[in-house]
């Protein structure tokens, strides 16, 4: 997380106030559209049904279009 410039707390804020979720090309993963400091981010999640948790695979900022 440090390499991408956000903390666990920031990630939790992004997931709490997300504004879109959709399946990815991998049927086991979901893409969450969120924002951090008014910039768009995408968070990739993978539910672990056996453990009843959601694993964060990655999170990255999206390029803003002019």
């Amino acid at each position: 997380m440090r390499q991408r410039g956000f903390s666990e707390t920031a990630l939790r804020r992004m997931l709490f106030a997300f504004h879109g979720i959709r399946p990815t090309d991998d049927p086991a993963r979901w893409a969450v559209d969120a924002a951090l400091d008014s910039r768009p981010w995408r968070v990739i999640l993978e539910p672990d049904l056996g453990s009843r948790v959601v694993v964060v695979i990655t999170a990255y900022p999206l390029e803003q279009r002019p």
Side-chain angles (χ1 to χ4, degrees):
M1 291 185 288
R2 290 182 189 152
Q3 298 88 349
R4 300 275 170 107
F6 65 94
S7 65
E8 179 182 350
T9 304
L11 178 63
R12 289 175 183 268
R13 285 194 336 252
M14 283 192 277
L15 293 175
F16 182 76
F18 74 94
H19 48 268
I21 187 168
R22 60 184 172 74
T24 66
D25 292 337
D26 181 337
R29 292 185 176 175
W30 294 82
V32 173
D33 293 325
L36 178 62
D37 298 329
S38 300
R39 293 180 52 208
W41 281 70
R42 179 148 303 136
V43 182
I44 306 298
L45 303 175
E46 185 173 307
D48 182 342
L49 300 177
S51 298
R52 297 183 58 147
V53 298
V54 176
V55 178
V56 176
I57 302 301
T58 191
Y60 52 90
L62 297 175
E63 293 181 17
Q64 293 184 347
R65 296 180 181 150

